[in-house]
Amino acid sequence: MRTKRPSGLISRTGAIRVMTHAMMGAALGLVFGLVLALTNPAVAALIHNGGREAVIVFIITLVTTFAIGATLTGVVFILAENKEF
């Protein structure tokens, strides 16, 4: 009887691939926040007038949103690549 090798998400490689997608999303969120603050004067003014807390909330919100979106997209790509759903 042959054992089935783990593939897809339930393996070390799958976890690394999902974490990679999450890190790419976080980086993309940081870049988007920087571009948004540099190109939109209203956003820059809100961040400047809000103080340190506004900057932290702005960055955490963007990074988390993009990271979650990229992670879910990565999961779909991995499952579609392995035809597991």
Side-chain angles (χ1 to χ4, degrees):
M1 180 181 215
R2 266 167 84 170
T3 60
K4 187 176 176 184
R5 287 182 32 181
S7 65
L9 295 175
I10 312 297
S11 67
R12 178 178 284 170
T13 305
I16 291 172
R17 290 174 72 187
V18 170
M19 286 189 304
T20 303
H21 282 278
M23 289 186 289
M24 285 189 291
L28 188 62
L30 283 172
V31 170
F32 180 75
L34 179 64
V35 169
L36 186 63
L38 291 176
T39 59
N40 193 340
V43 172
L46 285 172
I47 291 172
H48 179 69
N49 294 331
R52 182 180 171 113
E53 293 83 14
V55 173
I56 292 171
V57 168
F58 178 72
I59 294 300
I60 288 176
T61 302
L62 283 176
V63 167
T64 304
T65 303
F66 276 75
I68 290 170
T71 303
L72 294 175
T73 303
V75 167
V76 170
F77 286 162
I78 293 168
L79 292 176
E81 183 179 281
N82 295 331
K83 297 180 178 145
E84 292 183 0
F85 65 89

